[in-house]
Amino acid sequence: MNFKFPYFILVCSIYILMGCGNNQEAEIKNVVEGFYSGYDGNFRTADTAMISKELQNLISKAIEKEIYEAKKMKESDFPTDKPMMIEGDVFTSLYEGHNSASIEEISMEGQVAHVKVMFQNTAYNQSWRDQIVMIKENNKWKIDNVVYEGQQQDFPDLQSNLKRLIDYKSDN
């Protein structure tokens, strides 16, 4: 009887751990699909419930910087010039954004997940893959970064793109 009990515990533990992995993947899939199905291509209106505190902070700082740069430009000698700002979609690597997204692969390492997503923009006849980096924050999976693997090559990822604007020093 002693032999069967540890075996039973081992089998149950493996079953529970496998089930947790599937639940984690389902939660990750729900966050990514939920975010991209509701995302309109404007980072300023992105659903903050699905992104990490770090990314929320960067977005807030980028918005503040855009407002500051617009005000500064308006008060300058060249008020009709275009101020420093982020244009286009930053949550995908295609400037024009996506109109469909499908998850291809999810890999997890502890509190970090990497999600390969196939995006499409049918109006521009474009398909590409980007990698969504997610972190576990307060027991929930959150989008923390997007590594651009498709069209956009000016910046390697979403956070670098936002930091470029935040760190921008104008001559005026």
Side-chain angles (χ1 to χ4, degrees):
M1 189 80 165
N2 286 342
F3 178 76
K4 290 181 183 179
F5 185 71
Y7 179 73
F8 175 76
I9 296 294
L10 176 65
V11 170
C12 287
S13 298
I14 291 171
Y15 181 75
I16 289 170
L17 289 174
M18 288 174 62
C20 288
N22 291 338
N23 288 341
Q24 300 265 357
E25 284 191 18
E27 183 181 342
I28 290 166
K29 185 176 179 184
N30 286 338
V31 170
V32 171
E33 288 176 348
F35 180 84
Y36 282 99
S37 68
Y39 177 63
D40 65 359
N42 182 353
F43 78 95
R44 295 159 200 86
T45 60
D47 186 350
T48 57
M50 297 185 189
I51 61 177
S52 70
K53 293 290 183 200
E54 165 89 17
L55 188 52
Q56 287 177 34
N57 186 41
L58 288 173
I59 289 172
S60 293
K61 286 181 179 181
I63 292 168
E64 289 171 15
K65 184 69 171 206
E66 284 183 333
I67 292 168
Y68 170 78
E69 290 294 327
K71 182 179 181 214
K72 194 166 81 170
M73 184 61 68
K74 188 174 183 179
E75 295 169 353
S76 76
D77 293 338
F78 308 99
T80 58
D81 283 2
K82 188 178 195 179
M84 183 66 164
M85 64 190 314
I86 293 178
E87 296 182 284
D89 185 7
V90 296
F91 277 92
T92 72
S93 61
L94 184 66
Y95 180 92
E96 292 81 6
H98 77 290
N99 57 11
S100 73
S102 61
I103 295 173
E104 292 188 329
E105 180 183 336
I106 298 173
S107 62
M108 291 182 286
E109 291 181 33
Q111 302 294 304
V112 178
H114 298 271
V115 184
K116 293 272 189 186
V117 178
M118 173 61 81
F119 291 101
Q120 289 187 324
N121 182 316
T122 53
Y124 288 89
N125 197 25
Q126 297 287 319
S127 297
W128 70 98
R129 286 177 187 81
D130 288 331
Q131 183 179 154
I132 315 304
V133 179
M134 303 185 70
I135 61 169
K136 193 86 173 203
E137 195 172 78
N138 298 323
N139 291 322
K140 294 185 187 273
W141 286 102
K142 305 280 185 159
I143 295 171
D144 189 53
N145 204 359
V146 177
V147 178
Y148 302 142
E149 296 180 357
Q151 308 294 323
Q152 184 171 326
Q153 298 301 323
D154 294 340
F155 307 99
D157 57 62
L158 167 60
Q159 287 197 13
S160 297
N161 197 351
L162 295 171
K163 287 175 184 174
R164 175 216 33 117
L165 174 65
I166 295 164
D167 295 339
Y168 174 75
K169 306 279 189 245
S170 62
D171 295 334
N172 300 345

